[in-house]
Amino acid sequence: MLRHHAWRAVLVGATLTASAAFGSGAASAAGAQSDVVACHADGYVCLTTNDLFEPTVSVAEGEDYAFFRATEVTSMSNDTAMTYCVDAEYGFKLSPGQSIEVTHTVTALTAAPDGNCLS
């Protein structure tokens, strides 16, 4: 049977191994929202979500996107020349070049070539 100090060494070693394998962010997977930064890609609207299966969504300029179910989005970046309408708990516009880092529950993103969003 391992002594108390031996167990501590085993646990510390396992923690360090996990940190090395998964990166330092793994230990704080539920980290602060301030750690989330909008992704950027020219010609795309990029959404960062809290969905484990789809953590980042990139929508090509002019395309629409609908989530399968309402999804918590933590940041959005519109790196296109087009306005997008965001269908969330309340509808709003995401203007060209605009980035936001506010959590919204989003269901769809619609291109608005004329810049108008009807709510």
Side-chain angles (χ1 to χ4, degrees):
M1 182 149 204
L2 293 175
R3 298 176 82 73
H4 176 70
H5 295 295
W7 276 113
R8 182 180 296 169
V10 169
L11 291 174
V12 168
T15 302
L16 291 174
T17 301
S19 292
F22 298 109
S24 60
S28 61
Q33 288 292 335
S34 61
D35 293 342
V36 177
V37 178
C39 54
H40 291 276
D42 289 340
Y44 290 87
V45 175
C46 190
L47 306 140
T48 305
T49 76
N50 280 336
D51 186 332
L52 293 174
F53 301 105
E54 196 171 28
T56 304
V57 174
S58 296
V59 181
E61 184 168 350
E63 298 292 320
D64 297 338
Y65 185 85
F67 286 97
F68 180 69
R69 60 178 162 32
T71 301
E72 191 173 72
V73 174
T74 56
S75 67
M76 299 178 202
S77 178
N78 183 354
D79 293 310
T80 73
M82 185 176 291
T83 297
Y84 277 81
C85 304
V86 181
D87 187 8
E89 56 276 354
Y90 58 88
F92 62 94
K93 278 192 221 185
L94 188 63
S95 300
Q98 182 181 9
S99 291
I100 61 171
E101 294 185 27
V102 178
T103 301
H104 293 285
T105 302
V106 177
T107 55
L109 189 70
T110 308
D114 61 0
N116 292 318
C117 294
L118 301 175
S119 297

